[in-house]
Amino acid sequence: MNRPGENKPPMGLLPPLAALAIATTMDHGAQGKHKPFGWVNEDIQLFRDAGQRHHYYREAGEVYDPDSGLLHSAHKATNAVIELALELQVVKLWTPDTTAVDLRLVR
């Protein structure tokens, strides 16, 4: 018999402040030039390029994005999360309508 929570992803392993920074960055995008989940039908390369730009700005010494006031690292991480979500969508592990997903990501 399985115990409750057994074989579930241990969400407590996510760094809480990093998860909050990503959520804040996604909210900023949803309130501004994008709509919530507006990224779902976008080309994945858009987010790869954006993540790379934020990486380069951070490497050049700029800590905060001047447009949003948020950390470049938070933007970079958010773009990586969106890229992952789009890849999960391609391999049919996630859709915008998914409420629960069996994340057997390793074959």
Side-chain angles (χ1 to χ4, degrees):
M1 181 174 180
N2 288 345
R3 296 176 301 175
E6 191 174 7
N7 299 320
K8 305 271 182 173
M11 300 305 291
L13 293 177
L14 287 173
L17 289 178
L20 287 169
I22 292 169
T24 299
T25 306
M26 293 202 68
D27 183 55
H28 178 270
Q31 302 299 321
K33 55 184 164 181
H34 310 288
K35 60 182 181 179
F37 290 94
W39 51 266
V40 170
N41 296 312
E42 294 288 346
D43 182 354
I44 196 169
Q45 192 61 45
L46 177 74
F47 303 99
R48 289 178 178 153
D49 290 344
Q52 215 42 45
R53 279 192 302 276
H54 286 289
H55 173 78
Y56 290 140
Y57 279 119
R58 182 62 191 100
E59 286 295 307
E62 188 175 274
V63 176
Y64 293 96
D65 175 69
D67 296 329
S68 68
L70 301 170
L71 291 167
H72 278 296
S73 296
H75 280 283
K76 179 182 167 187
T78 299
N79 282 287
V81 166
I82 291 171
E83 181 181 343
L84 174 60
L86 290 172
E87 286 184 18
L88 291 171
Q89 199 173 319
V90 167
V91 296
K92 307 287 190 249
L93 286 174
W94 182 87
T95 70
D97 300 321
T98 300
T99 55
V101 65
D102 181 8
L103 286 177
R104 289 189 210 128
L105 299 177
V106 181
R107 292 182 185 221

XYZ file of all heavy atoms in Angstrom:
838
model
N 0.841 -1.186 0.000
C 0.000 0.000 0.000
C 0.885 1.247 0.000
O 1.833 1.352 0.763
C -0.904 -0.012 1.231
C -1.812 1.156 1.308
S -2.938 0.940 2.701
C -3.842 2.412 2.539
N 0.567 2.175 -0.862
C 1.328 3.422 -0.931
C 0.866 4.393 0.142
O -0.316 4.511 0.409
C 1.152 4.095 -2.296
C 1.881 3.366 -3.400
O 2.725 2.524 -3.142
N 1.548 3.697 -4.628
N 1.833 5.079 0.721
C 1.512 6.134 1.681
C 1.166 7.403 0.931
O 1.656 7.624 -0.180
C 2.699 6.387 2.604
C 3.047 5.193 3.472
C 4.265 5.472 4.285
N 5.355 5.782 3.339
C 6.553 6.168 3.681
N 6.878 6.313 4.920
N 7.486 6.426 2.779
N 0.341 8.282 1.532
C 0.049 9.562 0.877
C 1.335 10.319 0.596
O 2.212 10.421 1.446
C -0.820 10.308 1.897
C -1.399 9.240 2.751
C -0.369 8.133 2.784
N 1.469 10.811 -0.624
C 2.653 11.575 -0.999
C 3.797 10.735 -1.520
O 4.761 11.266 -2.064
N 3.700 9.418 -1.367
C 4.760 8.551 -1.854
C 4.802 8.623 -3.390
O 3.777 8.701 -4.052
C 4.497 7.110 -1.402
C 5.656 6.182 -1.634
C 5.406 4.801 -1.034
O 4.296 4.527 -0.557
O 6.342 4.005 -1.067
N 5.982 8.593 -3.932
C 6.189 8.675 -5.380
C 5.729 10.002 -5.972
O 5.410 10.083 -7.150
C 5.509 7.513 -6.111
C 6.051 6.178 -5.670
O 7.249 6.028 -5.461
N 5.174 5.206 -5.510
N 5.671 11.033 -5.166
C 5.319 12.383 -5.636
C 6.585 13.231 -5.612
O 7.472 13.016 -4.799
C 4.268 13.023 -4.721
C 3.022 12.210 -4.542
C 2.020 12.537 -5.588
C 0.797 11.706 -5.300
N -0.323 11.916 -6.021
N 6.658 14.213 -6.506
C 7.840 15.079 -6.468
C 7.930 15.822 -5.136
O 6.937 16.381 -4.670
C 7.586 16.073 -7.609
C 6.569 15.439 -8.479
C 5.746 14.560 -7.584
N 9.097 15.826 -4.504
C 9.268 16.534 -3.228
C 9.389 18.042 -3.445
O 10.479 18.577 -3.616
C 10.549 15.933 -2.654
C 11.319 15.487 -3.859
C 10.308 15.111 -4.897
N 8.273 18.714 -3.452
C 8.237 20.142 -3.749
C 9.056 20.973 -2.760
O 9.495 22.069 -3.089
C 6.795 20.645 -3.791
C 5.933 19.952 -4.845
S 6.603 20.027 -6.517
C 6.402 21.758 -6.862
N 9.257 20.446 -1.570
C 10.052 21.151 -0.576
C 11.512 21.305 -0.969
O 12.256 22.050 -0.335
N 11.941 20.607 -2.016
C 13.321 20.734 -2.470
C 13.549 21.981 -3.319
O 14.681 22.379 -3.551
C 13.739 19.489 -3.269
C 13.832 18.199 -2.462
C 14.187 17.034 -3.379
C 14.861 18.325 -1.345
N 12.468 22.603 -3.793
C 12.614 23.853 -4.546
C 12.987 24.977 -3.586
O 12.355 25.133 -2.542
C 11.301 24.226 -5.230
C 10.886 23.392 -6.428
C 9.482 23.785 -6.879
C 11.874 23.572 -7.561
N 13.998 25.757 -3.921
C 14.339 26.891 -3.064
C 13.180 27.901 -3.059
O 12.829 28.439 -4.108
C 15.576 27.496 -3.719
C 16.082 26.461 -4.666
C 14.918 25.616 -5.051
N 12.562 28.137 -1.899
C 11.370 28.993 -1.846
C 11.569 30.396 -2.406
O 10.703 30.892 -3.136
C 11.020 29.049 -0.360
C 11.679 27.870 0.240
C 12.896 27.593 -0.587
N 12.675 31.037 -2.102
C 12.881 32.401 -2.605
C 13.051 32.419 -4.119
O 12.584 33.339 -4.792
C 14.073 33.064 -1.920
C 13.852 33.424 -0.453
C 15.122 34.033 0.148
C 12.684 34.376 -0.290
N 13.686 31.393 -4.668
C 13.830 31.322 -6.121
C 12.467 31.096 -6.775
O 12.145 31.725 -7.786
C 14.797 30.204 -6.502
N 11.652 30.218 -6.199
C 10.311 29.978 -6.737
C 9.473 31.254 -6.670
O 8.736 31.583 -7.612
C 9.629 28.843 -5.969
N 9.596 31.996 -5.584
C 8.873 33.270 -5.457
C 9.372 34.297 -6.479
O 8.580 35.053 -7.045
C 9.012 33.827 -4.047
C 8.207 33.097 -2.973
C 8.631 33.566 -1.584
C 6.726 33.311 -3.184
N 10.673 34.326 -6.720
C 11.224 35.257 -7.710
C 10.703 34.933 -9.107
O 10.352 35.833 -9.879
C 12.754 35.212 -7.688
N 10.616 33.644 -9.438
C 10.077 33.238 -10.737
C 8.605 33.608 -10.836
O 8.156 34.165 -11.841
C 10.306 31.733 -10.983
C 11.802 31.468 -11.164
C 9.508 31.242 -12.194
C 12.190 30.005 -11.140
N 7.838 33.330 -9.787
C 6.410 33.664 -9.796
C 6.211 35.176 -9.922
O 5.327 35.629 -10.661
C 5.738 33.141 -8.529
N 7.022 35.951 -9.238
C 6.934 37.408 -9.316
C 7.245 37.890 -10.729
O 6.560 38.767 -11.266
C 7.894 38.056 -8.304
O 7.526 37.646 -6.987
C 7.868 39.575 -8.383
N 8.257 37.302 -11.337
C 8.637 37.677 -12.700
C 7.540 37.290 -13.688
O 7.198 38.061 -14.590
C 9.979 37.022 -13.085
O 10.948 37.359 -12.084
C 10.467 37.504 -14.434
N 6.944 36.109 -13.504
C 5.854 35.686 -14.388
C 4.641 36.594 -14.202
O 3.976 36.950 -15.179
C 5.497 34.227 -14.143
C 6.641 33.319 -14.559
S 6.229 31.623 -14.924
C 5.280 31.746 -16.401
N 4.378 37.004 -12.979
C 3.264 37.922 -12.722
C 3.522 39.268 -13.386
O 2.619 39.862 -13.973
C 3.044 38.089 -11.222
C 1.848 38.967 -10.925
O 0.745 38.660 -11.422
O 2.007 39.960 -10.187
N 4.756 39.747 -13.299
C 5.108 41.005 -13.948
C 4.825 40.928 -15.450
O 4.237 41.830 -16.032
C 6.582 41.345 -13.704
C 7.008 42.596 -14.396
N 7.512 42.601 -15.669
C 6.990 43.891 -13.993
C 7.782 43.830 -16.037
N 7.485 44.638 -15.036
N 5.228 39.826 -16.066
C 4.974 39.646 -17.488
C 3.496 39.548 -17.809
O 3.013 40.122 -18.790
N 2.750 38.858 -16.957
C 1.308 38.672 -17.179
C 0.542 39.984 -17.018
O -0.502 40.171 -17.638
C 0.764 37.619 -16.215
N 1.052 40.879 -16.179
C 0.387 42.165 -15.955
C 0.824 43.217 -16.968
O 0.173 44.236 -17.114
C 0.693 42.681 -14.536
C 0.279 41.761 -13.432
C -1.210 41.488 -13.420
O -2.019 42.370 -13.668
N -1.569 40.245 -13.151
N 1.936 42.963 -17.629
C 2.492 43.964 -18.535
C 2.237 43.636 -19.987
O 1.103 43.586 -20.445
N 3.319 43.358 -20.692
C 3.210 43.189 -22.136
C 2.705 41.815 -22.565
O 2.447 41.597 -23.739
C 4.543 43.498 -22.803
C 5.732 42.724 -22.291
C 7.012 43.200 -22.989
C 8.237 42.725 -22.228
N 9.453 43.178 -22.852
N 2.578 40.897 -21.637
C 2.085 39.557 -21.954
C 0.808 39.300 -21.177
O 0.513 39.995 -20.221
C 3.131 38.503 -21.594
C 4.489 38.800 -22.143
N 4.798 38.698 -23.473
C 5.625 39.229 -21.534
C 6.064 39.033 -23.664
N 6.589 39.368 -22.504
N 0.085 38.271 -21.541
C -1.076 37.861 -20.741
C -0.726 36.559 -20.027
O 0.225 35.873 -20.416
C -2.306 37.689 -21.635
C -2.155 36.655 -22.704
C -3.397 36.589 -23.575
C -3.173 35.499 -24.622
N -4.249 35.302 -25.503
N -1.468 36.200 -18.968
C -1.171 34.945 -18.276
C -1.186 33.767 -19.258
O -2.096 33.643 -20.078
C -2.305 34.820 -17.256
C -2.755 36.230 -17.025
C -2.581 36.924 -18.351
N -0.183 32.962 -19.193
C -0.003 31.798 -20.065
C 0.061 32.182 -21.540
O -0.131 31.340 -22.412
C -1.080 30.736 -19.822
C -0.933 30.042 -18.502
C -1.624 30.502 -17.388
C -0.084 28.970 -18.359
C -1.470 29.882 -16.165
C 0.075 28.342 -17.139
C -0.615 28.799 -16.039
N 0.370 33.438 -21.832
C 0.517 33.871 -23.210
C 1.703 33.222 -23.904
O 1.777 33.188 -25.123
N 2.599 32.682 -23.131
C 3.799 32.036 -23.664
C 3.524 30.655 -24.241
O 4.338 30.110 -24.985
C 4.872 31.926 -22.572
C 4.371 31.309 -21.304
C 3.891 31.982 -20.217
C 4.281 29.927 -20.984
N 3.513 31.092 -19.241
C 3.742 29.815 -19.693
C 4.602 28.768 -21.664
C 3.516 28.600 -19.071
C 4.374 27.540 -21.047
C 3.835 27.475 -19.765
N 2.372 30.073 -23.932
C 2.083 28.683 -24.286
C 2.210 28.408 -25.784
O 2.707 27.359 -26.178
C 0.678 28.269 -23.772
C 0.259 26.931 -24.324
C 0.674 28.239 -22.251
N 1.794 29.337 -26.603
C 1.827 29.111 -28.051
C 2.969 29.847 -28.748
O 2.959 29.981 -29.964
C 0.485 29.507 -28.670
C -0.633 28.625 -28.170
O -0.508 27.401 -28.159
N -1.707 29.240 -27.725
N 3.928 30.312 -27.973
C 5.064 31.036 -28.550
C 6.177 30.069 -28.966
O 6.249 28.933 -28.488
C 5.626 32.039 -27.538
C 4.689 33.171 -27.199
C 4.529 34.183 -28.317
O 5.338 34.161 -29.277
O 3.599 34.986 -28.237
N 7.049 30.553 -29.804
C 8.215 29.790 -30.243
C 9.207 29.694 -29.086
O 9.549 30.709 -28.468
C 8.850 30.495 -31.440
C 10.045 29.767 -32.023
O 10.494 28.748 -31.468
O 10.548 30.243 -33.063
N 9.683 28.512 -28.809
C 10.603 28.285 -27.694
C 11.873 29.125 -27.821
O 12.464 29.540 -26.821
C 10.932 26.776 -27.572
C 11.545 26.455 -26.206
C 11.805 26.303 -28.725
C 11.642 24.967 -25.922
N 12.285 29.415 -29.050
C 13.513 30.177 -29.266
C 13.421 31.584 -28.676
O 14.416 32.141 -28.233
C 13.851 30.244 -30.758
C 15.245 30.758 -31.031
C 16.334 29.874 -30.415
O 16.292 28.649 -30.508
N 17.310 30.499 -29.765
N 12.227 32.133 -28.636
C 12.012 33.451 -28.037
C 12.506 33.477 -26.591
O 13.167 34.416 -26.156
C 10.520 33.797 -28.094
C 10.071 35.100 -27.460
C 10.481 36.269 -28.346
C 8.563 35.079 -27.285
N 12.226 32.407 -25.839
C 12.597 32.340 -24.424
C 14.057 31.948 -24.241
O 14.696 32.377 -23.279
C 11.639 31.401 -23.693
C 10.222 31.871 -23.866
C 9.398 31.292 -24.814
C 9.745 32.950 -23.147
C 8.110 31.762 -25.016
C 8.468 33.438 -23.347
C 7.653 32.835 -24.288
N 14.573 31.156 -25.158
C 16.010 30.862 -25.121
C 16.809 32.147 -25.329
O 17.777 32.409 -24.626
C 16.361 29.828 -26.187
C 15.849 28.456 -25.865
C 16.177 27.460 -26.951
N 15.702 26.146 -26.559
C 15.359 25.207 -27.419
N 15.449 25.424 -28.727
N 14.933 24.038 -26.977
N 16.393 32.935 -26.319
C 17.087 34.195 -26.599
C 16.964 35.174 -25.427
O 17.948 35.808 -25.036
C 16.526 34.846 -27.867
C 16.877 34.089 -29.136
O 17.788 33.235 -29.103
O 16.228 34.350 -30.168
N 15.767 35.303 -24.870
C 15.558 36.228 -23.748
C 16.393 35.810 -22.543
O 17.017 36.657 -21.886
C 14.078 36.285 -23.379
N 16.425 34.524 -22.246
C 17.234 34.035 -21.125
C 18.705 34.337 -21.330
O 19.408 34.745 -20.398
N 19.171 34.164 -22.560
C 20.562 34.448 -22.891
C 20.873 35.925 -22.723
O 21.924 36.299 -22.193
C 20.797 34.003 -24.328
C 22.120 33.431 -24.707
C 22.771 32.477 -23.760
O 22.167 31.564 -23.200
N 24.039 32.678 -23.552
N 19.956 36.794 -23.171
C 20.174 38.240 -23.008
C 20.305 38.606 -21.531
O 21.211 39.346 -21.142
C 19.028 39.029 -23.643
C 19.136 39.191 -25.141
C 18.158 40.215 -25.671
N 16.770 39.905 -25.352
C 15.998 39.089 -26.072
N 16.477 38.508 -27.162
N 14.748 38.872 -25.708
N 19.398 38.082 -20.699
C 19.468 38.382 -19.263
C 20.759 37.844 -18.665
O 21.366 38.482 -17.800
C 18.237 37.832 -18.537
C 17.011 38.638 -18.800
N 16.830 39.907 -18.285
C 15.906 38.364 -19.540
C 15.669 40.383 -18.688
N 15.092 39.473 -19.457
N 21.202 36.701 -19.136
C 22.473 36.131 -18.668
C 23.631 37.079 -19.004
O 24.478 37.372 -18.149
C 22.695 34.762 -19.318
C 24.036 34.184 -19.043
N 24.349 33.578 -17.847
C 25.166 34.136 -19.800
C 25.611 33.175 -17.875
N 26.123 33.495 -19.051
N 23.661 37.561 -20.234
C 24.751 38.449 -20.651
C 24.739 39.779 -19.897
O 25.789 40.286 -19.507
C 24.716 38.694 -22.156
C 25.092 37.477 -22.978
C 24.407 37.173 -24.144
C 26.123 36.628 -22.585
C 24.739 36.051 -24.895
C 26.461 35.516 -23.328
C 25.772 35.226 -24.481
O 26.102 34.125 -25.227
N 23.538 40.326 -19.694
C 23.470 41.572 -18.914
C 23.993 41.345 -17.496
O 24.719 42.181 -16.950
C 22.033 42.107 -18.854
C 21.619 42.867 -20.086
C 20.547 42.432 -20.858
C 22.282 44.031 -20.476
C 20.154 43.133 -21.992
C 21.899 44.740 -21.600
C 20.835 44.289 -22.358
O 20.451 44.984 -23.473
N 23.637 40.223 -16.905
C 24.086 39.926 -15.533
C 25.595 39.734 -15.510
O 26.285 40.223 -14.609
C 23.362 38.678 -14.994
C 23.741 38.326 -13.566
C 23.360 39.468 -12.611
N 23.918 39.284 -11.304
C 25.018 39.894 -10.865
N 25.697 40.733 -11.628
N 25.457 39.678 -9.648
N 26.111 39.025 -16.496
C 27.557 38.806 -16.576
C 28.310 40.116 -16.775
O 29.446 40.251 -16.336
C 27.890 37.837 -17.719
C 27.529 36.391 -17.413
C 28.338 35.822 -16.270
O 29.586 35.890 -16.316
O 27.725 35.301 -15.313
N 27.660 41.082 -17.422
C 28.284 42.397 -17.639
C 28.212 43.278 -16.393
O 28.703 44.401 -16.403
C 27.614 43.098 -18.818
N 27.589 42.765 -15.333
C 27.551 43.505 -14.080
C 26.235 44.184 -13.764
O 26.094 44.801 -12.706
N 25.278 44.083 -14.659
C 23.968 44.693 -14.400
C 23.109 43.692 -13.625
O 22.752 42.646 -14.148
C 23.297 45.055 -15.735
C 22.029 45.862 -15.573
C 21.472 46.298 -16.922
O 21.909 47.358 -17.422
O 20.626 45.564 -17.458
N 22.786 44.005 -12.389
C 22.059 43.075 -11.519
C 20.561 43.111 -11.803
O 19.910 42.064 -11.881
C 22.334 43.399 -10.032
C 21.522 42.501 -9.115
C 23.828 43.288 -9.734
N 20.006 44.316 -11.953
C 18.558 44.478 -12.129
C 18.203 44.870 -13.555
O 18.883 45.696 -14.172
C 18.022 45.546 -11.164
C 18.124 45.127 -9.725
C 19.203 45.519 -8.948
C 17.146 44.316 -9.150
C 19.313 45.122 -7.621
C 17.238 43.923 -7.822
C 18.326 44.320 -7.068
O 18.428 43.920 -5.771
N 17.140 44.279 -14.074
C 16.614 44.650 -15.380
C 16.011 46.048 -15.279
O 15.145 46.287 -14.426
C 15.542 43.638 -15.799
C 14.875 44.019 -17.095
O 15.546 43.962 -18.136
O 13.684 44.379 -17.063
N 16.454 46.999 -16.110
C 15.961 48.367 -15.988
C 14.475 48.525 -16.338
O 13.822 49.438 -15.841
C 16.837 49.173 -16.955
C 17.434 48.182 -17.879
C 17.478 46.871 -17.143
N 13.924 47.637 -17.157
C 12.512 47.736 -17.533
C 11.577 47.279 -16.420
O 10.551 47.894 -16.171
C 12.229 46.924 -18.797
C 12.969 47.470 -20.006
O 13.193 48.702 -20.066
O 13.322 46.658 -20.879
N 11.947 46.196 -15.746
C 11.048 45.621 -14.735
C 11.471 45.948 -13.310
O 10.648 45.884 -12.391
C 11.003 44.097 -14.886
O 12.258 43.528 -14.524
N 12.755 46.231 -13.107
C 13.273 46.419 -11.759
C 13.541 45.104 -11.047
O 13.947 45.088 -9.890
N 13.335 43.998 -11.741
C 13.555 42.672 -11.163
C 14.956 42.177 -11.523
O 15.583 42.673 -12.465
C 12.498 41.694 -11.685
C 11.047 42.073 -11.380
C 10.080 41.173 -12.139
C 10.780 42.017 -9.880
N 15.426 41.202 -10.787
C 16.758 40.647 -11.034
C 16.851 40.025 -12.426
O 15.931 39.316 -12.860
C 17.069 39.554 -10.008
C 17.286 39.999 -8.568
C 17.257 38.792 -7.639
C 18.615 40.726 -8.447
N 17.956 40.278 -13.109
C 18.199 39.602 -14.386
C 18.188 38.086 -14.177
O 17.685 37.342 -15.021
C 19.541 40.022 -14.992
C 19.484 41.315 -15.735
N 18.724 41.502 -16.875
C 20.113 42.494 -15.496
C 18.888 42.740 -17.313
N 19.728 43.370 -16.489
N 18.723 37.633 -13.055
C 18.748 36.189 -12.771
C 17.338 35.617 -12.660
O 17.091 34.475 -13.054
C 19.522 35.908 -11.482
O 20.869 36.278 -11.640
N 16.399 36.391 -12.128
C 15.004 35.933 -12.042
C 14.393 35.832 -13.440
O 13.658 34.889 -13.740
C 14.192 36.876 -11.163
N 14.706 36.799 -14.290
C 14.224 36.734 -15.673
C 14.816 35.516 -16.384
O 14.119 34.802 -17.105
C 14.591 38.007 -16.438
C 13.684 39.152 -16.159
N 12.428 39.254 -16.699
C 13.855 40.262 -15.402
C 11.859 40.383 -16.300
N 12.717 41.013 -15.501
N 16.104 35.288 -16.183
C 16.774 34.144 -16.809
C 16.135 32.832 -16.347
O 15.846 31.949 -17.163
C 18.266 34.175 -16.467
C 19.057 33.030 -17.031
C 20.507 33.125 -16.587
C 21.251 31.840 -16.870
N 22.602 31.843 -16.314
N 15.905 32.701 -15.053
C 15.293 31.490 -14.506
C 13.862 31.316 -15.020
O 13.433 30.203 -15.339
C 15.308 31.532 -12.978
N 13.130 32.409 -15.119
C 11.753 32.351 -15.617
C 11.734 31.875 -17.062
O 10.911 31.026 -17.433
C 11.089 33.734 -15.494
O 11.078 34.101 -14.116
C 9.672 33.727 -16.040
N 12.639 32.390 -17.867
C 12.717 31.938 -19.248
C 13.080 30.461 -19.334
O 12.555 29.735 -20.179
C 13.691 32.806 -20.047
C 13.072 34.129 -20.427
O 12.219 34.190 -21.292
N 13.476 35.187 -19.750
N 13.933 29.990 -18.437
C 14.294 28.567 -18.408
C 13.088 27.708 -18.019
O 12.870 26.638 -18.594
C 15.456 28.335 -17.444
N 12.291 28.177 -17.063
C 11.092 27.445 -16.644
C 10.085 27.375 -17.793
O 9.479 26.334 -18.044
C 10.467 28.079 -15.376
C 9.070 27.568 -15.123
C 11.365 27.824 -14.177
N 9.920 28.481 -18.496
C 9.000 28.495 -19.642
C 9.525 27.563 -20.737
O 8.751 26.801 -21.333
C 8.793 29.926 -20.164
C 7.996 30.748 -19.140
C 8.083 29.915 -21.524
C 7.909 32.226 -19.454
N 10.819 27.589 -20.964
C 11.410 26.683 -21.960
C 11.129 25.225 -21.575
O 10.728 24.417 -22.415
C 12.916 26.932 -22.066
C 13.594 26.049 -23.096
C 15.100 26.289 -23.192
O 15.597 27.328 -22.717
O 15.770 25.413 -23.759
N 11.307 24.894 -20.302
C 11.013 23.544 -19.826
C 9.541 23.197 -20.026
O 9.201 22.119 -20.498
C 11.403 23.402 -18.352
C 11.014 22.087 -17.673
C 11.653 20.894 -18.375
C 11.378 22.130 -16.208
N 8.650 24.122 -19.687
C 7.215 23.880 -19.847
C 6.867 23.632 -21.312
O 6.053 22.747 -21.628
C 6.411 25.054 -19.294
N 7.488 24.391 -22.212
C 7.231 24.193 -23.640
C 7.759 22.842 -24.110
O 7.126 22.175 -24.926
C 7.830 25.341 -24.451
C 7.129 26.689 -24.283
C 7.926 27.797 -24.963
C 5.702 26.644 -24.807
N 8.894 22.416 -23.589
C 9.421 21.093 -23.936
C 8.514 19.990 -23.395
O 8.268 18.995 -24.073
C 10.844 20.927 -23.418
C 11.846 21.710 -24.216
C 13.289 21.494 -23.782
O 13.568 20.499 -23.083
O 14.130 22.323 -24.141
N 7.998 20.166 -22.173
C 7.065 19.182 -21.610
C 5.798 19.104 -22.456
O 5.218 18.037 -22.626
C 6.716 19.540 -20.167
C 7.842 19.389 -19.148
C 7.427 19.971 -17.807
C 8.251 17.935 -19.006
N 5.392 20.224 -22.991
C 4.221 20.277 -23.861
C 4.486 19.464 -25.131
O 3.626 18.709 -25.579
C 3.945 21.737 -24.208
C 2.576 22.040 -24.699
C 2.375 23.539 -24.843
O 2.807 24.314 -23.983
N 1.750 23.954 -25.906
N 5.684 19.594 -25.684
C 6.042 18.879 -26.918
C 6.016 17.374 -26.694
O 5.544 16.625 -27.547
C 7.431 19.332 -27.429
C 7.972 18.405 -28.494
C 7.358 20.752 -27.946
N 6.510 16.916 -25.546
C 6.535 15.475 -25.277
C 5.259 15.010 -24.581
O 5.195 13.922 -24.041
C 7.792 15.046 -24.494
C 9.048 15.280 -25.314
C 7.886 15.742 -23.146
N 4.236 15.866 -24.592
C 2.889 15.542 -24.120
C 2.801 15.236 -22.622
O 1.967 14.474 -22.183
C 2.314 14.351 -24.899
C 2.341 14.500 -26.395
C 1.317 15.488 -26.883
C 1.183 15.439 -28.378
N 1.658 16.571 -29.092
N 3.682 15.854 -21.828
C 3.602 15.681 -20.382
C 2.848 16.820 -19.709
O 2.520 16.743 -18.539
C 5.006 15.581 -19.763
C 5.721 14.265 -20.002
C 7.140 14.339 -19.478
C 4.983 13.115 -19.352
N 2.607 17.901 -20.454
C 1.915 19.043 -19.868
C 1.154 19.774 -20.949
O 1.602 19.908 -22.079
C 2.910 20.003 -19.223
C 2.255 21.170 -18.570
C 1.776 21.220 -17.289
C 1.979 22.450 -19.151
N 1.228 22.457 -17.050
C 1.320 23.232 -18.169
C 2.193 23.010 -20.389
C 0.908 24.531 -18.392
C 1.781 24.302 -20.627
C 1.146 25.048 -19.629
N -0.040 20.242 -20.600
C -0.802 21.152 -21.452
C -1.387 22.214 -20.529
O -1.446 22.014 -19.310
C -1.959 20.447 -22.196
O -2.958 20.085 -21.243
C -1.477 19.231 -22.958
N -1.858 23.321 -21.065
C -2.457 24.344 -20.199
C -3.652 23.828 -19.406
O -3.994 24.375 -18.370
C -2.890 25.434 -21.183
C -1.999 25.246 -22.350
C -1.745 23.764 -22.442
N -4.286 22.739 -19.854
C -5.444 22.177 -19.164
C -5.079 21.098 -18.155
O -5.951 20.561 -17.488
C -6.424 21.588 -20.186
C -6.925 22.645 -21.152
O -7.172 23.788 -20.719
O -7.050 22.333 -22.347
N -3.794 20.770 -18.055
C -3.361 19.714 -17.153
C -3.542 20.144 -15.701
O -3.132 21.221 -15.313
C -1.877 19.372 -17.393
O -1.731 18.944 -18.739
C -1.404 18.279 -16.457
N -4.179 19.272 -14.928
C -4.306 19.550 -13.497
C -3.348 18.666 -12.703
O -2.894 19.032 -11.642
C -5.745 19.300 -13.013
O -6.121 17.965 -13.359
C -6.698 20.292 -13.638
N -3.067 17.521 -13.195
C -2.097 16.618 -12.552
C -1.318 15.949 -13.670
O -1.840 15.691 -14.742
C -2.804 15.582 -11.694
N -0.096 15.670 -13.411
C 0.737 15.079 -14.466
C 1.628 14.019 -13.850
O 2.095 14.138 -12.733
C 1.567 16.164 -15.194
C 2.577 16.805 -14.268
C 2.238 15.599 -16.427
N 1.797 12.956 -14.593
C 2.704 11.882 -14.184
C 4.073 12.218 -14.738
O 4.319 12.064 -15.926
C 2.189 10.559 -14.747
C 3.072 9.385 -14.345
O 3.982 9.568 -13.527
O 2.832 8.289 -14.872
N 4.939 12.757 -13.899
C 6.241 13.229 -14.355
C 7.289 12.126 -14.313
O 8.198 12.152 -13.501
C 6.692 14.424 -13.533
C 5.988 15.724 -13.820
C 6.472 16.817 -12.893
C 6.194 16.155 -15.253
N 7.157 11.183 -15.178
C 8.201 10.178 -15.339
C 9.123 10.692 -16.436
O 8.997 10.314 -17.595
C 7.612 8.823 -15.703
C 6.883 8.202 -14.549
C 6.486 6.781 -14.844
N 5.272 6.530 -14.100
C 4.160 6.051 -14.626
N 4.095 5.722 -15.888
N 3.104 5.852 -13.880
N 10.022 11.614 -16.066
C 10.835 12.309 -17.047
C 12.037 11.497 -17.477
O 12.680 11.803 -18.466
C 11.311 13.645 -16.478
C 10.173 14.620 -16.097
C 10.748 15.860 -15.475
C 9.339 14.965 -17.315
N 12.353 10.441 -16.728
C 13.504 9.604 -17.066
C 12.976 8.314 -17.663
O 12.116 7.658 -17.098
C 14.347 9.309 -15.802
C 15.550 8.456 -16.145
C 14.781 10.602 -15.142
N 13.508 7.968 -18.817
C 13.052 6.731 -19.474
C 13.788 5.546 -18.945
O 14.887 5.532 -18.616
C 13.258 6.831 -20.982
C 12.358 7.845 -21.570
C 12.560 7.886 -23.052
N 11.747 8.974 -23.564
C 11.060 8.896 -24.667
N 11.093 7.823 -25.394
N 10.360 9.899 -25.079
